Amino acid sequence: MRSKLQPLVLLSILLCAVALFAPGAAAQTHRGSVLGTVYDPNRAVVPGAQVTLTNRETNETRSAASEGEGAFAISSLRPGAYRLEVNAPGFVKLTQDIVLNVNQELRVDLELTVQVNEHSTITEVYPELKKDSASLGAVIENRHVEGLPLDGRNFYELALLVPGAAPPAQGSAGSVRGDFAFSVNGAREDSNNFLLDGVYNVDPKLNTFGVRPPVDAIREFETLTSTYDASFGRSAGAQVNVVLKSGTNDFHGSLYEFHRNAALDARNFFAPADQPDPKYIRNQFGFTVGGPVRRDRTFFFADYEGTRSREGLTRVTNVPTLLERAGDFSHSFDFFGQPVFVRDPFRVDPMTFQPLPCNAQNQAGCFPGNVVPVGRQSAVGRAVAALYPAPNRPVPFANFVSSPTQRDRNDHFDARVDHLLSPDSTLAFRYSFGDRSLYEPFAGPTFAAVPGYGNDVSRRSQNAMAGWTKVLDPAFVNDARVAFNRVASAVLQENRASSVNRRVGLPDFSPNPRDAGLSFITVTGFSPLGEEFNNPQNSVTNTFQLLDTATYTRGRH
């Protein structure tokens, strides 16, 4: 028994050693790290050099000393602009400005000069090849987020700049109703994972983002597409890591409004030429403000954006003529221009018991004059036919056009506070809220193409985060976060307030009043009628998170 257990004991010791000395990784976080090696002019390592990082926006300071192999590492840093200073006995003080991106492991190898002058400053540094992580992806910087044109100001569209990203298939579940979805390296569009300030920000219904902050609130975001570390293992697609802005020692703010009006646009090429232009008006407005509550200690940032949109949606379809809904098909033609004959279903051949032919040569099986007598008409059928609007165009098989207005209201705000408890302890609080109300007059391309059977879509999303970062010593940093994510959404039929089924003589399929409306009805050759058959929909999802990332640095690890 001893000989069998001994290899297991050795294996356990080996696994513990690997876990203890494994390279540190930023586990599902927006925070980054700065690491490197300090050399002298002969490329010999310099142990004991004091490395200090100062956030140029908040004056928050972190420091570490290079170890026996000249290596240093400072972890769990917020993205931002930093000033790096290196002091070592007998060498000139070195100062260098760096920019740390979201979830970045920035390697900065430093070469000191023997003390002749009092101080040296590096003003320009060329980026090195990424050597400390195997992950593939790209960081979309703030100047790209704010500077590139975006239809609807949805910054997630910039994810298409990352190699391997592709837009979704037209009409996909995640890209309707003005939302945006994308695929990475052949993965499904619902295989992506979204983080906001390092916490889960996902609507699990379609596995898309929960809250969507405005462009002016985004500091930067990272899209990882492949070979990211195991801490991002929830989804097989992209890992979209978004960081919001924070307050600084200076006050900053913005105020904006964007207006779009169809009166200034070219005419829609696909709109019928004999119809007036569809309505289109969109306003997007908001503000951002940030600054100190107490210099070098407490900072705040807040933003708001509202969207109001009115858009005419044009649909061309075919509806029964006034004669057809009265049972007179004497002037009706099929798609090939041939007369349509309505057969009396009770007239059969007495020898074969098969319906008699009904065509231009032999109309024995048809109603006289191709007019259905009132006594043979269904009362329910007449009531359903009366639900169609009257034709408004003299165009065969496209005799009705409409452009009802889609109404969209969207509001979003964020509020964030950062506080330095001490030089080695910081707190962060953030709350994000989004609320949308959308009326779509048409449910979808395969549903009713006449007004009156649309959807009311509502969506309210919330995301809150509280974080505490504690530097236990320069080599050991702990980042703890508590987060809450809530998404409540609903898609309700337009006629939910009354039973159209009972009005036309059809039974209700459900006794629950929420299922009221008109059952989905298809009539060959004409627009369907009725509600979208997978409505009503109503869902609420609450997600609670407890996250802790401990980073320990030892030597080159």
Side-chain angles (χ1 to χ4, degrees), residues 270 272 314-318 393 397-402 449:
F270 298 99
T314 300
R315 294 288 187 274
V316 179
T317 188
N318 196 43
R393 308 175 73 217
F397 311 107
N399 61 6
F400 182 78
V401 61
S402 61

Side-chain angles (χ1 to χ4, degrees), residues 94-112:
L94 177 67
T95 302
Q96 179 176 332
D97 291 336
I98 62 173
V99 175
L100 182 65
N101 294 324
V102 53
N103 194 38
Q104 182 182 17
E105 295 172 346
L106 179 61
R107 172 165 290 276
V108 183
D109 291 330
L110 304 166
E111 182 176 315
L112 302 180

Side-chain angles (χ1 to χ4, degrees), residues 138-387:
V139 174
I140 310 299
E141 299 177 0
N142 178 262
R143 61 191 182 94
H144 293 142
V145 174
E146 294 187 349
L148 293 176
L150 293 168
D151 184 18
R153 290 172 56 79
N154 186 345
F155 70 92
Y156 282 114
E157 294 180 3
L158 295 175
L160 295 178
L161 298 175
V162 179
Q170 186 175 5
S172 67
S175 61
V176 297
R177 297 180 177 132
D179 288 330
F180 173 74
F182 66 99
S183 301
V184 168
N185 295 335
R188 295 166 59 97
E189 66 177 40
D190 57 1
S191 296
N192 301 323
N193 188 32
F194 297 87
L195 302 172
L196 182 62
D197 288 335
V199 300
Y200 178 86
N201 177 37
V202 175
D203 178 358
K205 182 178 180 181
L206 294 176
N207 211 55
T208 183
F209 51 82
V211 297
R212 190 197 75 190
V215 169
D216 297 69
I218 305 301
R219 182 182 188 98
E220 61 189 26
F221 72 97
E222 177 189 44
T223 302
L224 297 176
T225 59
S226 181
T227 61
Y228 31 81
D229 63 73
S231 64
F232 292 99
R234 175 185 178 272
S235 302
Q239 310 294 321
V240 184
N241 202 347
V242 180
V243 177
L244 296 187
K245 292 180 179 178
S246 302
T248 67
N249 275 324
D250 298 316
F251 283 99
H252 295 279
S254 63
L255 182 67
Y256 59 89
E257 178 173 6
F258 297 87
H259 175 73
R260 181 176 174 182
N261 196 311
L264 306 175
D265 294 343
R267 179 179 174 81
N268 185 349
F269 177 81
F270 298 99
D274 58 348
Q275 299 295 319
D277 292 344
K279 181 178 182 179
Y280 190 95
I281 297 177
R282 183 172 69 190
N283 287 83
Q284 287 183 284
F285 49 89
F287 69 88
T288 65
V289 60
V293 177
R294 182 181 176 186
R295 290 186 62 85
D296 298 338
R297 291 296 301 274
T298 308
F299 312 91
F300 78 96
F301 181 84
D303 64 83
Y304 164 79
E305 180 173 276
T307 301
R308 304 293 183 268
S309 176
R310 300 292 183 269
E311 180 180 4
L313 302 181
T314 300
R315 294 288 187 274
V316 179
T317 188
N318 196 43
V319 299
T321 65
L322 298 180
L323 290 176
E324 289 171 341
R325 66 187 67 195
D328 186 351
F329 293 87
S330 59
H331 295 82
S332 300
F333 297 87
D334 63 16
F335 184 77
F336 301 99
Q338 302 297 323
V340 173
F341 298 101
V342 183
R343 178 182 293 120
D344 184 345
F346 297 100
R347 295 186 180 184
V348 297
D349 188 324
M351 300 298 295
T352 63
F353 298 99
Q354 297 297 318
L356 292 171
C358 182
N359 50 51
Q361 289 74 33
N362 185 353
Q363 299 185 27
C366 299
F367 289 108
N370 215 23
V371 177
V372 181
V374 175
R376 302 291 293 277
Q377 297 180 19
S378 166
V380 174
R382 290 176 63 92
V384 171
L387 296 176

Side-chain angles (χ1 to χ4, degrees), residues 68-150:
E69 297 178 341
F72 70 93
I74 302 176
S75 58
S76 294
L77 296 166
R78 284 197 306 167
Y82 288 86
R83 180 178 297 107
L84 186 151
E85 296 180 351
V86 184
N87 285 288
F91 295 94
V92 177
K93 178 182 177 182
L94 177 67
T95 302
Q96 179 176 332
D97 291 336
I98 62 173
V99 175
L100 182 65
N101 294 324
V102 53
N103 194 38
Q104 182 182 17
E105 295 172 346
L106 179 61
R107 172 165 290 276
V108 183
D109 291 330
L110 304 166
E111 182 176 315
L112 302 180
T113 44
V114 178
Q115 190 166 13
V116 176
N117 301 319
E118 294 184 355
H119 182 263
S120 65
T121 301
I122 300 177
T123 58
E124 185 174 4
V125 178
Y126 295 96
E128 291 186 349
L129 183 67
K130 187 176 183 180
K131 298 182 291 185
D132 295 283
S133 174
S135 62
L136 299 179
V139 174
I140 310 299
E141 299 177 0
N142 178 262
R143 61 191 182 94
H144 293 142
V145 174
E146 294 187 349
L148 293 176
L150 293 168

Side-chain angles (χ1 to χ4, degrees), residues 411-488:
D411 295 287
H412 179 94
F413 74 84
D414 303 280
R416 178 180 177 119
V417 175
D418 294 272
H419 177 67
L420 275 67
L421 287 173
S422 65
D424 57 3
S425 182
T426 59
L427 293 176
F429 304 92
R430 177 192 47 77
Y431 177 72
S432 300
F433 175 87
D435 186 65
R436 186 186 188 190
S437 176
L438 169 69
Y439 165 69
E440 49 183 14
F442 300 111
T446 60
F447 295 99
V450 295
Y453 304 97
N455 293 324
D456 289 310
V457 183
S458 61
R459 186 175 185 272
R460 176 170 291 183
S461 52
Q462 303 174 72
N463 189 281
M465 181 273 297
W468 176 37
T469 303
K470 175 66 175 177
V471 182
L472 300 173
D473 65 55
F476 189 20
V477 182
N478 191 79
D479 181 31
R481 280 163 290 162
V482 179
F484 171 69
N485 187 73
R486 176 183 174 91
V487 180

